[in-house]
Amino acid sequence: MRLSSIHFAAATQLCCLSTSVVAADLTIDVKDTAGAPVVDTVVYAEPVSGPAAASKKATVVIEQKGRKFLPLVSVVQAGTDIAFPNNDSVRHHVYSFSPAKSFELQLYSGVPGSPVHFDKPGTVVVGCNIHDKMVAYIHVVATSHFSKTDDAGKAVLTGLPSGKYRVKAWHYGTPQSVSLPEQLVSVTTSDEVVAFKLNAKAVPAPQ
Ligand SMILES: [Cu+2]
């Protein structure tokens, strides 16, 4: 009895060692051409082997407050729902004409009936029909490994399973005609840093 349980434990260990996924963190450092950190850059890593199976994703929120969309920039995996609650006392009319997702939430206050489903990778620029200055950017990606740079222009993609990735960076200040910068990175057991120089101004959020 005792012997067999030891055997069982050994077998379990072997099984788990051989199937365990080695993971590492990828730090991404984004600067503009003048060397200044670029905040709110969307960064993501696409496995070269193809996208992982899609899983159920939590609903993301972009609220309207003080006649602004918060946050200004969002990154979501394709297949994600986004809710657009209006936390202002004025009504908003939220829409996008972007090819990746065109939609319209007619003039409303409070929480619209249902969130909007984003299923196609690409950039979605969101506006309000009443308040011209309101804008939000959503970058929809085909990977679960994504983040946004902080004030220091840095973002960390944590727990990347080892393998090859195309690491990309997108910023709303980059001219649309410019193709996305990308780097091929081999993730092994150790953490790595990838640096991007973007042709984007470290522009402050529009007011
Ligand atoms: Cu509005």
Side-chain angles (χ1 to χ4, degrees), residues 90-93 128-131 134:
V90 294
R91 293 193 291 172
H92 296 296
H93 183 138
C128 172
N129 215 9
I130 310 299
H131 308 102
M134 289 177 65

